[in-house]
Amino acid sequence: MSETDSPILDIQHVSKQFGGLAANSDVSFSMTEGMILGLIGPNGAGKTTLFNCITGYYPPTKGDVIFKGKRLNGMTPDQVCKLGMVRTWQKVRPLAKLSVIDNVVVGALVRTGSVPEAREIAREQLHVVKLAHKADFLAGGLPIGERKKLEVARVLATKPDLLLLDEVMGGLNPAESEDIIQLILEIKQRGLTQMVIEHDMKAIMRISDRIVVLNSGEKLAEGAPLEIVSNPEVVTAYLGEAHT
Amino acid sequence: MPPRTRTRTRARGLSAFSIVAFIAAVVLLALFPKFVENPYAVHLMVTFFLAVIMGEAWNLIGGYGGQYSVGHAAYFGIGAYTVLVLLQTNGVAPWWGLLPALALALGVAAIVGSITFRLRGPYFVLASIAVAEIFRLVALNWKSATNGAEGILLSGVPPIVIGGTEIVNFSSKVPFYYMGLALAVLTVLVTVWFQGSKLGYYLQAIREDQDAANSLGIPLTFYKNIALMISAFFTAWAGALYGLYVGFIDPQTAVGLDISVQIVLTAIIGGIGTVFGPVVGAAILVALSEALRSNAITDLLVAGGLVSETSSIGIFLKDHLSHAHMLIYGFLVAIVILFMPDGVLGAVNNAARRRRARAAAGGAR
């Protein structure tokens, strides 16, 4: 097996228990380099919990997360970020009192100690997300569509190998969503691997190479987009028994 | 390559105006004792410099980092006690005593930070108060070293002598004036550096959103600790300077909660997270506190004919206003928080930004 064929991310039997509640139980799947994996499931299916387990916000109760051949168990989010995996937040978290470019500079500083160099990286990333014209605005004053783009620019500036995008289209109008879809595809062109949580099924079908469906914390199905839409279990989970 | 646009922001350093104004102010202040010999005026300026040093130092962790320590009296006390105990009891010259004092402040900050920075928001504030109180109680009860509640009275600061010639003697206030000025300028310069450094960016990111900062590769406790250590270092230095200048310290005046509160107020009233905010705050607080203490406000009211000196109100003000300076501080803070949530300097900056934005919007149309 060549280097590129080995999975960049391997999730093995991950379970996360909050007291008596199993937010994730025995979830396993893997990602190869350059792919976009769509992570879908009804509300409360455990998608964001899985993100949190993968990126070090809390350790999985059971199971292993292996990123680029390293076990991440017990690592903190900043260590995971330095290794090259970074996530965005479902509820955007702009550094409100910093300017747009300074938000991105903070991301870039993980790879360099030089602020001027970080500004250079930040400026490039703002061009990628088409936010360069807002560089000097306060991040807290941006409308939601631009905040989502800022989140993406900020994580891109950390020079990741794997991006985890948590509902970057949530709350956006169709035109803004389309912008983000184009952005995700462009990021793919650059060779980055992405895992995307999304509720918009049309969007997820278009961008994903592979889809994992979670339901009640368990992996319900995994496959190519067309397999997933025709999977009766998935249809049941989303639409209820009557539709099968 | 994406096209490069020229951004309109000034670099994150200071504007040309600020730099010129700062240099001019420093030159004027350096000349001040040459023209003003009134010891009271010099004393006020030393008090002002001390407030600037502590405000700027606190601003690093509190203003930029958003970690509202209300326990900086601990570091102030470490500086004051270490230097004065070494000098008075062991005869160690203060410029040598300063080294262990600053080292101790760094060490204590590293330990305190490692423990208390796990806490967030109000819990961190409470922990910082508790830590300072521990140090106050140590100063109060460790009588063999600190002389307890009676405090330490210096019998004098030895002159600096090099090769048999006296370079500086501390019989007047002027040497303290220059030490205060130099240290105040140094803390301002450190803040300018800090604001444009990776450390400064990281602390601001931590202030705005700790989880987001953490996800962007920032180890939170490590960077908070570094900022706290720098902050403690200068606070202890100010404490040492204060102890030598006043010549007397006791647990209340060197490690009391009042000191912690005054430090925080200096930064909050002036404008936290800005280079010159603590300078503005120090000027306001020192002027106000002296005006209240010296009955200048009552005298002014009397001189202005608003209040008769012999009326019951006049007598009441003369007797009581000078005791009420903490009360008036309280009012002032309430007013600043209500009407100028970013401090006095913050309010000025915001107004300027709005004006620029309006001008830019007008120009675009």
Side-chain angles (χ1 to χ4, degrees):
Chain A
M1 215 152 109
S2 77
E3 185 68 26
T4 46
D5 285 341
S6 68
I8 183 166
L9 182 73
D10 199 2
I11 294 170
Q12 299 175 344
H13 309 290
V14 165
S15 299
K16 180 67 197 174
Q17 197 86 20
F18 292 110
L21 176 78
N24 290 136
S25 40
D26 201 22
V27 177
S28 297
F29 59 88
S30 64
M31 294 178 70
T32 52
E33 231 175 296
M35 80 183 301
I36 295 179
L37 184 137
L39 188 60
I40 64 171
N43 284 327
K47 305 182 294 289
T48 298
T49 302
L50 189 62
F51 262 32
N52 288 339
C53 281
I54 297 172
T55 51
Y57 272 85
Y58 24 73
T61 316
K62 267 190 237 149
D64 292 319
V65 177
I66 293 161
F67 175 59
K68 295 200 289 190
K70 284 202 185 68
R71 264 177 96 231
L72 300 187
N73 302 34
M75 279 198 189
T76 51
D78 53 288
Q79 291 168 324
V80 172
C81 175
K82 286 198 185 86
L83 271 184
M85 171 158 60
V86 66
R87 58 93 60 89
T88 66
W89 302 82
Q90 183 178 356
K91 183 176 173 298
V92 288
R93 290 169 169 270
L95 308 173
K97 284 192 176 170
L98 298 189
S99 70
V100 166
I101 188 157
D102 284 347
N103 267 260
V104 188
V105 167
V106 168
L109 282 170
V110 76
R111 300 285 173 226
T112 169
S114 147
V115 171
E117 202 178 307
R119 290 186 82 81
E120 214 44 55
I121 297 171
R123 214 162 272 144
E124 284 167 27
Q125 300 312 326
L126 284 180
H127 278 288
V128 171
V129 304
K130 300 188 176 62
L131 216 50
H133 60 293
K134 291 281 181 87
D136 301 333
F137 284 60
L138 282 186
L142 293 184
I144 182 68
E146 290 177 345
R147 287 183 188 209
K148 296 270 183 183
K149 288 183 180 176
L150 175 59
E151 286 265 307
V152 176
R154 206 166 63 178
V155 293
L156 282 176
T158 68
K159 300 269 173 75
D161 300 311
L162 173 57
L163 270 182
L164 304 180
L165 304 176
D166 195 349
E167 290 198 30
V168 274
M169 291 171 229
L172 300 190
N173 68 35
E176 289 169 333
S177 291
E178 186 58 34
D179 275 2
I180 297 278
I181 290 174
Q182 291 308 323
L183 182 57
I184 291 173
L185 294 172
E186 198 184 321
I187 293 169
K188 183 187 179 175
Q189 291 284 308
R190 291 162 182 249
L192 270 72
T193 318
Q194 297 173 82
M195 193 192 301
V196 182
I197 294 181
E198 205 44 79
H199 273 304
D200 181 345
M201 290 300 275
K202 259 193 206 143
I204 207 87
M205 291 299 151
R206 257 176 74 194
I207 59 176
S208 302
D209 298 305
R210 205 165 174 77
I211 290 178
V212 167
V213 187
L214 290 183
N215 190 30
S216 311
E218 290 169 15
K219 187 170 92 173
L220 185 69
E222 179 179 353
L226 283 177
E227 295 165 28
I228 294 296
V229 279
S230 53
N231 182 321
E233 283 189 81
V234 175
V235 176
T236 308
Y238 265 90
L239 303 173
E241 298 282 349
H243 290 266
T244 49
Chain B
M1 266 302 275
R4 289 271 301 280
T5 52
R6 188 182 288 175
T7 50
R8 271 172 293 115
T9 30
R10 299 155 290 146
R12 284 180 60 89
L14 300 175
S15 65
F17 171 77
S18 303
I19 293 170
V20 171
F22 179 63
I23 293 173
V26 171
V27 169
L28 282 178
L29 287 170
L31 296 173
F32 180 82
K34 301 264 178 266
F35 299 104
V36 182
E37 283 177 358
N38 178 353
Y40 178 65
V42 175
H43 166 75
L44 273 189
M45 292 308 291
V46 176
T47 313
F48 167 66
F49 293 146
L50 284 170
V52 170
I53 298 160
M54 292 186 276
E56 291 286 348
W58 183 89
N59 195 28
L60 298 179
I61 185 68
Y64 288 98
Q67 308 301 307
Y68 284 19
S69 160
V70 191
H72 264 48
Y75 309 111
F76 186 81
I78 286 171
Y81 265 101
T82 310
V83 169
L84 265 70
V85 166
L86 285 174
L87 174 58
Q88 190 64 24
T89 327
N90 307 69
V92 178
W95 30 101
W96 295 117
L98 188 61
L99 300 178
L102 298 181
L104 192 61
L106 286 176
V108 168
I111 294 167
V112 168
S114 305
I115 298 167
T116 58
F117 280 139
R118 295 153 194 240
L119 304 169
R120 291 188 182 187
Y123 301 98
F124 170 76
V125 175
L126 289 176
S128 72
I129 296 174
V131 168
E133 280 299 284
I134 291 171
F135 277 90
R136 189 180 64 81
L137 291 171
V138 168
L140 191 61
N141 292 299
W142 188 12
K143 294 204 174 85
S144 61
T146 65
N147 204 22
E150 287 169 47
I152 296 171
L153 182 64
L154 273 190
S155 36
V157 180
I160 299 178
V161 178
I162 297 176
T165 39
E166 198 176 271
I167 308 291
V168 187
N169 90 50
F170 293 94
S171 54
S172 93
K173 295 181 191 302
V174 174
F176 291 103
Y177 178 97
Y178 283 111
M179 286 193 289
L181 174 61
L183 194 50
V185 169
L186 179 62
T187 52
V188 168
L189 294 178
V190 165
T191 307
V192 171
W193 161 80
F194 181 89
Q195 180 170 267
S197 72
K198 178 172 180 171
L199 182 59
Y201 271 93
Y202 272 15
L203 263 294
Q204 291 182 78
I206 289 169
R207 175 188 70 205
E208 294 299 315
D209 190 325
Q210 302 209 33
D211 287 326
N214 199 202
S215 77
L216 292 170
I218 304 176
L220 303 177
T221 306
F222 176 80
Y223 279 97
K224 288 183 204 169
N225 265 344
I226 299 287
L228 178 65
M229 286 166 74
I230 301 174
S231 180
F233 180 87
F234 286 108
T235 308
W237 202 338
L241 194 55
Y242 167 86
L244 293 169
Y245 173 63
V246 176
F248 172 76
I249 53 169
D250 67 8
Q252 199 52 45
T253 56
V255 214
L257 183 60
D258 288 10
I259 298 166
S260 297
V261 173
Q262 296 244 5
I263 292 173
V264 177
L265 291 189
T266 305
I268 288 184
I269 288 176
I272 61 174
T274 59
V275 171
F276 291 112
V279 179
V280 173
I284 293 173
L285 283 186
V286 170
L288 183 78
S289 136
E290 282 304 310
L292 289 168
R293 222 193 297 274
S294 63
N295 257 331
I297 290 181
T298 314
D299 292 345
L300 213 69
L301 291 174
V302 170
L306 291 168
V307 177
S308 154
E309 198 166 356
T310 49
S311 73
S312 56
I313 296 176
I315 292 167
F316 177 82
L317 287 179
K318 239 188 159 70
D319 284 350
H320 296 291
L321 197 56
S322 59
H323 301 300
H325 73 277
M326 281 314 268
L327 182 71
I328 299 202
Y329 272 13
F331 277 123
L332 191 66
V333 174
I335 289 168
V336 167
I337 290 171
L338 279 176
F339 297 105
M340 296 180 270
D342 294 321
V344 173
L345 196 62
V348 172
N349 286 345
N350 288 346
R353 183 182 297 131
R354 273 197 297 276
R355 238 194 341 269
R356 273 203 307 275
R358 261 204 307 277
R365 254 161 228 151

